[in-house]
Amino acid sequence: MKIKLNDKFLALALAFCFSLCFGQKTEFTVPENIENLQYSIFNFSNDFTKDNVKSAASSDKDFFTSVDLYNLKDEAGKKNPYLILALKNGAKPKQFIQHAAWNITMKKLSSKSTKVSISLQEVVPDSWSRKDVDVKQTKSTGLLEKEIKEFLLSGEGKAAKVSEATEAAAEATMAAATEVAEAAEAAVAVEDTEYIADAPPKKKTVSKKLQNLFNKKQFISLPASEAAFTNLLKIKASQVACESCKNGKQSSWDFDDFNLIYGHMTDGTEYYGLQYYGDNMVSGLPYGLVFNGSSASECRDKFARYNAQLYQTSVEVDENTSSALTVVTFKMNSSFVRLEFGNTYLTRVLISTKEF
């Protein structure tokens, strides 16, 4: 676990104090000095935490940080164990919380005693659940507070050696210095770009064809038909050879910088794929996806409720060459979705009735 120590104690402390507060607070005392506990808390983890950089603020007698949980589902038979969701009128009981954070405050009572306070700070539903969840009325179940209390009291997260804590602090200092250096380099780079004309920013455009294709603001459901795609695009399809497809062909539509294919395979699998070849950022896809604009990590988080998986694979360029490719895959309803990122950003969308 990386630690990002912030020496601007007052600013971050005020941020904690004036952040969204849900009124609940759990307090307890740990018979341990605050210096050890402030490193121990960074070792806390469960099935919903991530191994990412943690921000913190500290003084001689106080310490502030947070514990963050991700991808909390709430549905029949599998209730969210950490949050009591306040649902708005007419909301469905099936909801998804992308991120929730609890404030952790430590106050030094003595050299061998520390008071710990935990309170729910922030609840962030994903885009589907945002309209249904009242985040201000949502409460903590108390389970995370209990887990943290047991963890700190047990001493499981206590640094085994003072040198480990010193090393962590040193790494944090190095990281902070690196950030300053990188910021300075970035500032110089920005100045340099004033004299460089060969790297223009990507244009942001909206594709009317994509908007027509996805007029229901969602992926096109399978089974479908060639006629259905032709009707949406107002473009006649051409037939392309496909050895594994029925009748040896699949349908293809070319428009602007896009190509759309649709077909049936001999094993009964039905699929369609949309490829973008341009250089601009193009919107018009459902769920806020943007060709040449949406990143792999952004898409993984966007579709986390569908257990989206991000991984690296390779594709064959020719008989002797292959190229690395980042993909995000998940199952939505009865269809399998594959998002491909050929140039860091989204360039291809594939939908199939069979897992890729």
Side-chain angles (χ1 to χ4, degrees):
M1 178 67 68
K2 295 181 180 179
I3 306 171
K4 185 177 180 181
L5 296 177
N6 189 346
D7 59 355
K8 296 181 180 179
F9 169 79
L10 182 58
L12 189 51
L14 288 174
F16 275 105
C17 293
F18 290 101
S19 61
L20 184 60
C21 180
F22 292 76
Q24 289 178 295
K25 182 182 288 188
T26 298
E27 295 183 330
F28 53 89
T29 300
V30 180
E32 182 64 74
N33 68 65
I34 192 170
E35 288 79 9
N36 284 343
L37 286 186
Q38 68 184 31
Y39 285 105
S40 296
I41 191 62
F42 291 113
N43 293 318
F44 173 82
S45 65
N46 61 26
D47 292 339
F48 300 95
T49 54
K50 290 183 178 180
D51 186 17
N52 51 13
V53 176
K54 293 291 186 181
S55 295
S58 64
S59 67
D60 293 338
K61 296 183 178 180
D62 297 278
F63 176 77
F64 298 87
T65 188
S66 67
V67 168
D68 303 80
L69 303 185
Y70 300 85
N71 303 340
L72 300 172
K73 295 183 178 181
D74 195 88
E75 53 190 318
K78 190 176 182 181
K79 297 297 291 182
N80 184 326
Y82 295 99
L83 296 171
I84 302 173
L85 298 184
L87 301 182
K88 298 177 182 178
N89 291 336
K92 297 179 180 179
K94 186 175 182 178
Q95 303 297 333
F96 187 88
I97 304 302
Q98 188 170 314
H99 171 225
W102 280 255
N103 274 345
I104 311 296
T105 302
M106 297 183 184
K107 188 172 186 64
K108 182 177 181 179
L109 299 180
S110 70
S111 60
K112 296 183 178 181
S113 181
T114 304
K115 181 181 179 180
V116 179
S117 299
I118 306 174
S119 59
L120 181 61
Q121 170 198 355
E122 183 181 26
V123 175
V124 183
D126 71 353
S127 56
W128 285 274
S129 298
R130 196 168 297 150
K131 64 181 183 301
D132 294 330
V133 178
D134 185 341
V135 296
K136 292 184 178 181
Q137 297 300 318
T138 292
K139 297 182 178 181
S140 174
T141 63
L143 178 58
L144 182 65
E145 293 88 332
K146 180 180 178 182
E147 290 178 353
I148 293 174
K149 179 179 180 180
E150 292 176 350
F151 177 80
L152 294 177
L153 288 173
S154 69
E156 292 180 31
K158 183 178 179 181
K161 299 178 182 179
V162 175
S163 59
E164 292 181 3
T166 304
E167 182 181 348
E171 289 180 357
T173 302
M174 288 290 291
T178 301
E179 286 183 5
V180 172
E182 289 177 347
E185 290 178 2
V188 173
V190 169
E191 292 181 359
D192 289 344
T193 57
E194 295 179 4
Y195 305 96
I196 300 174
D198 59 352
K202 291 182 289 187
K203 294 181 180 179
K204 296 181 180 180
T205 63
V206 179
S207 170
K208 297 298 183 182
K209 291 291 186 183
L210 288 183
Q211 289 182 329
N212 292 337
L213 186 63
F214 299 103
N215 56 13
K216 294 183 179 180
K217 309 299 182 182
Q218 58 188 17
F219 294 127
I220 297 169
S221 300
L222 296 174
S225 66
E226 177 186 322
F229 288 97
T230 296
N231 183 57
L232 292 169
L233 287 172
K234 309 301 181 186
I235 302 173
K236 187 177 180 180
S238 59
Q239 300 301 309
V240 181
C242 173
E243 293 183 2
S244 57
C245 295
K246 290 182 178 180
N247 302 319
K249 294 182 179 180
Q250 64 183 359
S251 302
S252 176
W253 296 262
D254 288 312
F255 58 95
D256 302 331
D257 292 318
F258 294 93
N259 171 254
L260 173 69
I261 58 171
Y262 164 77
H264 284 271
M265 300 183 73
T266 54
D267 65 359
T269 301
E270 187 175 354
Y271 64 89
Y272 66 91
L274 186 62
Q275 176 83 45
Y276 177 58
Y277 296 100
D279 298 320
N280 296 330
M281 296 173 60
V282 183
S283 61
L285 288 169
Y287 311 113
L289 294 173
V290 178
F291 274 121
N292 212 22
S294 296
S295 68
S297 59
E298 174 190 342
C299 291
R300 177 198 57 199
D301 294 342
K302 181 186 292 288
F303 296 101
R305 63 157 53 205
Y306 298 104
N307 194 32
Q309 302 296 311
L310 186 159
Y311 57 92
Q312 289 275 338
T313 185
S314 61
V315 292
E316 186 176 299
V317 177
D318 54 45
E319 293 182 357
N320 302 313
T321 309
S322 61
S323 177
L325 180 68
T326 301
V327 301
V328 170
T329 59
F330 54 93
K331 183 180 181 182
M332 177 182 282
N333 301 322
S334 59
S335 296
F336 294 90
V337 181
R338 176 182 169 111
L339 307 177
E340 297 185 357
F341 305 82
N343 59 349
T344 305
Y345 298 103
L346 181 65
T347 53
R348 192 182 189 198
V349 176
L350 291 168
I351 312 290
S352 175
T353 56
K354 184 178 181 180
E355 189 170 7
F356 299 99

